[in-house]
Amino acid sequence: MAELFAFLLSGVTVGFIYALVGLGFTVIYNSSGIINFSQGEFVMAGGMSAVFLMYAGVPLGFAFILAIISVSVIGIILYKLLSISKDSSHISLIILTLGFAIFLRGLAQVIFDKQLHTMPSFVGDGSFEIFGAILSYQSLLVIVVSLIIVISLYLFFKRTKTGQAMVAASVNVDAARLMGINIKKILVLNFAISAVIASIGGILLTPITSTNYEVGIMLGLKGFSAAIIGGLGNPWGAVAGGLLLGILESLVAGYISSEYKDAVAFVVLLAILFFMPGGIFGNLKAQRV
Amino acid sequence: MDKPLLEIEDLSFSYKQIIALESVSLTINQGEIVSLIGANGAGKTTLLRTISGLNVHKKGKIIFNKEDISQTESDYRVRAKIAQVPEGRGLFPILSVEQNLRLGAYTRNDNEIEKDLEFIYNKFPILQEKKDEYAGTLSGGQQQMVAVGRALMIRPKLLLLDEPSMGLAPIIVEEIFSVIKELRDLGTTIFVVEQNAFLALKSSDRAYVLENGKVVISGKSADLLDDERVKEAYLGA
Ligand SMILES: Nc1ncnc2c1ncn2[C@@H]1O[C@H](COP(=O)(O)OP(=O)(O)OP(=O)(O)O)[C@@H](O)[C@H]1O
Ligand SMILES: [Mg+2]
């Protein structure tokens, strides 16, 4: 029982990170219709820049803020690249995001290195015991911060004028423009928000699983799976998909073998695409707000 | 006496190969209701979209309030107080009625937004009743009211309406057109596109007839009602 609980807790922790990556996919997909395959690299860039800023002696809090700002600049650069090529087909734009991912990985190798890096827990090395299972402070931090992000995003989209404009633009671009909404600004904001969420995920995860220049590949694919599992375009779906994936992975790793862990995402993804192409919750836009 | 609010000079627009507007020139004066009639595919929607800046034209001028707005973005034109109720209404179905209406005030920062919302609820009491419901769940007529109300939240000087009668029961159409006349009396200038030529000519001061992207007839609506060409082509006489 304690064992099961331990697996669940670690599943939820990682699941929240997948949820954040999945939310990043969702935010960009809803605003632009593009699947951003460099989302995982945004996560990597967040963790790696925070680590190297810390090595450089920058106080942790500052290092986080600088890392988040840098990654949002990267997000905005990606938007600029996409908007320059806006007359190309959707597929070309999606391939552009793949190319950008490869570029970011290369850049990370050059600027940083190829080693594995970690950071000390941000909240000390203590832990709680819940039903005999151990939950580290850092894991709890991941869960709390993720929840705060999810709730803030919800309130932002639901209650603020800019958030409503973003929802409007994702539903009907022309009608949004007729309200005087500047679509380019909205898109820039979407890419920046998506990058911020991803980089926070990358920073939070670093003390738990470590990071290097290529962690973005797996994290991106898992986050993408989370978004698809929950129903692409549905932010609640992305969160649920991320949690489901994290928990399943952790159970498989615990009860079967950690070798199969990474396969879980793809098995679930294929099963969903096969049997429920709209995802568990469907990409019902009605559930979005 | 006639003060031009919108002047379109020699405007042309094409979608890749298709020429949708060819050297269109027209004027809309302050306080007028002007209608635009024409068959399917004549270019009516294209013209309204070009006035709002959703279509970017290369040739011709759009002058609003003495300012050439040809090169400006759509959000600039909304701030300049051009509002459009698009074809098919263009509501945000997953947002509530009130959220839709408030988005109409997106560009505004004044403190009369609440007052205007009240005004719209007074005009269309059913919308107040349904203010928290998803706009997508309303009937066609109610959706059209939301679309008109949302455009009014811009506090437009010029209101463009693209086929407001489409798909609506005659009694609702009448209600919408009576609101249009009231709005004009309150000082809003109106440019309305209609396939229902009789209704359009009955409810407007002047009219333009568009055929294959060109203005072929224009004049006082009352005169057009008696025009043989108009009668034959559009009034089914
Ligand atoms: N997005 C588009 N891409 C290509 N061609 C278009 C597009 N929109 C309209 N057209 C073409 O431009 C011409 C004018 O269309 P438009 O929609 O402006 O006509 P309309 O007068 O509004 O017609 P309706 O009464 O059916 O609404 C038509 O030939 C139409 O096929
Ligand atoms: Mg039309």
Side-chain angles (χ1 to χ4, degrees):
Chain A
M1 194 58 207
E3 197 183 45
L4 173 67
F5 217 75
F7 294 150
L8 286 179
L9 283 178
S10 77
V12 167
T13 306
V14 179
F16 265 116
I17 300 292
Y18 296 163
L20 292 184
V21 187
L23 271 177
F25 274 104
T26 307
V27 167
I28 288 185
Y29 175 78
N30 280 343
S31 60
S32 65
I34 287 170
I35 293 166
N36 170 25
F37 281 112
S38 41
Q39 200 64 34
E41 276 58 38
F42 289 0
V43 181
M44 174 277 289
M48 288 292 273
S49 1
V51 167
F52 278 81
L53 284 163
M54 178 190 77
Y55 290 165
V58 179
L60 268 194
F62 265 123
F64 297 161
I65 292 170
L66 280 177
I68 292 168
I69 293 174
S70 322
V71 179
S72 36
V73 170
I74 294 174
I76 293 170
I77 292 173
L78 173 62
Y79 165 71
K80 292 285 176 207
L81 290 173
L82 290 168
S83 67
I84 292 169
S85 358
K86 71 175 186 308
D87 291 330
S88 324
S89 70
H90 243 62
I91 289 291
S92 329
L93 294 180
I94 291 171
I95 290 171
L96 194 153
T97 70
L98 261 174
F100 195 65
I102 295 168
F103 166 75
L104 288 179
R105 283 203 289 280
L107 194 67
Q109 279 184 61
V110 176
I111 298 183
F112 308 125
D113 59 20
K114 292 187 176 186
Q115 311 303 316
L116 207 58
H117 297 275
T118 188
M119 289 173 126
S121 162
F122 311 149
V123 279
D125 285 326
S127 58
F128 300 98
E129 211 188 292
I130 307 174
F131 299 122
I134 304 288
L135 179 70
S136 72
Y137 287 170
Q138 181 72 20
S139 291
L140 183 68
L141 183 74
V142 168
I143 294 171
V144 170
V145 173
S146 304
L147 278 174
I148 291 174
I149 291 176
V150 171
I151 294 167
S152 326
L153 265 187
Y154 171 78
L155 291 175
F156 172 70
F157 284 124
K158 181 118 185 155
R159 299 237 189 276
T160 70
K161 191 162 152 179
T162 307
Q164 286 275 294
M166 291 169 84
V167 176
S170 76
V171 181
N172 186 334
V173 175
D174 283 342
R177 294 181 64 190
L178 291 176
M179 301 298 104
I181 294 165
N182 181 325
I183 298 298
K184 286 177 195 152
K185 279 191 197 151
I186 294 288
L187 279 168
V188 168
L189 199 55
N190 271 297
F191 276 76
I193 289 178
S194 177
V196 166
I197 302 173
S199 55
I200 295 177
I203 294 169
L204 286 173
L205 191 61
T206 300
I208 297 176
T209 63
S210 304
T211 188
N212 72 0
Y213 75 100
E214 57 181 12
V215 289
I217 303 175
M218 265 309 161
L219 285 169
L221 284 168
K222 304 261 173 84
F224 175 65
S225 307
I228 298 280
I229 289 169
L232 191 58
N234 180 336
W236 298 115
V239 173
L243 289 175
L244 181 75
L245 202 58
I247 291 170
L248 280 178
E249 267 189 17
S250 170
L251 293 178
V252 167
Y255 288 117
I256 305 173
S257 156
S258 57
E259 278 177 37
Y260 297 129
K261 194 188 86 176
D262 286 335
V264 171
F266 305 105
V267 172
V268 177
L269 181 63
L270 287 176
I272 292 279
L273 287 176
F274 232 78
F275 299 110
M276 296 184 217
I280 299 178
F281 298 95
N283 33 15
L284 278 186
K285 294 208 156 181
Q287 293 189 0
R288 271 234 311 279
V289 179
Chain B
M1 177 66 210
D2 285 345
K3 273 204 290 183
L5 180 63
L6 180 76
E7 293 161 278
I8 293 177
E9 290 171 12
D10 200 23
L11 178 73
S12 299
F13 179 84
S14 349
Y15 298 100
K16 302 224 163 72
Q17 293 94 348
I18 306 162
I19 299 173
L21 296 174
E22 213 177 328
S23 294
V24 170
S25 294
L26 56 81
T27 303
I28 294 171
N29 296 310
Q30 225 130 48
E32 277 187 315
I33 299 182
V34 176
S35 61
L36 178 69
I37 57 180
N40 273 326
K44 305 180 297 294
T45 297
T46 304
L47 178 58
L48 290 199
R49 289 174 56 90
T50 311
I51 296 173
S52 289
L54 298 184
N55 289 339
V56 180
H57 66 282
K58 298 199 182 77
K59 200 170 147 283
K61 268 192 201 163
I62 302 177
I63 297 164
F64 182 68
N65 240 343
K66 302 195 187 73
E67 181 193 4
D68 186 349
I69 55 167
S70 304
Q71 305 302 321
T72 62
E73 296 279 342
S74 52
D75 58 318
Y76 181 88
R77 301 188 197 190
V78 173
R79 282 172 220 276
K81 300 294 178 190
I82 298 178
Q84 182 180 162
V85 178
E87 194 173 57
R89 303 170 196 124
L91 294 188
F92 306 113
I94 62 163
L95 296 182
S96 73
V97 167
E98 181 151 325
Q99 287 174 323
N100 270 272
L101 293 174
R102 284 186 186 281
L103 275 163
Y106 177 76
T107 53
R108 290 173 54 184
N109 292 311
D110 58 279
N111 47 22
E112 302 208 322
I113 294 173
E114 301 304 317
K115 199 181 106 192
D116 289 1
L117 201 57
E118 278 311 301
F119 171 81
I120 285 155
Y121 286 147
N122 278 328
K123 198 103 290 181
F124 305 112
I126 185 75
L127 298 189
Q128 178 145 39
E129 237 170 82
K130 305 216 166 194
K131 70 185 174 66
D132 295 321
E133 289 179 33
Y134 287 124
T137 64
L138 268 53
S139 72
Q142 293 162 358
Q143 291 196 12
Q144 190 61 265
M145 293 171 196
V146 178
V148 171
R150 191 181 62 175
L152 291 181
M153 289 299 288
I154 293 171
R155 278 213 175 171
K157 291 198 174 90
L158 175 64
L159 178 61
L160 311 169
L161 295 140
D162 198 343
E163 301 205 28
S165 75
M166 193 166 57
L168 301 183
I171 184 158
I172 311 272
V173 173
E174 236 168 77
E175 194 180 335
I176 299 271
F177 272 85
S178 90
V179 169
I180 291 174
K181 283 184 189 149
E182 273 176 61
L183 291 173
R184 189 266 303 274
D185 296 340
L186 292 173
T188 311
T189 304
I190 290 165
F191 189 35
V192 56
V193 163
E194 262 300 337
Q195 283 227 15
N196 182 340
F198 184 72
L199 176 68
L201 294 176
K202 273 283 183 208
S203 331
S204 57
D205 306 308
R206 287 193 306 116
Y208 289 87
V209 180
L210 202 61
E211 268 174 26
N212 297 320
K214 291 191 208 120
V215 172
V216 291
I217 308 173
S218 64
K220 285 208 159 53
S221 301
D223 296 344
L224 260 57
L225 275 168
D226 290 329
D227 186 295
E228 286 307 322
R229 293 167 298 172
V230 174
K231 273 188 182 169
E232 194 177 325
Y234 300 101
L235 299 171

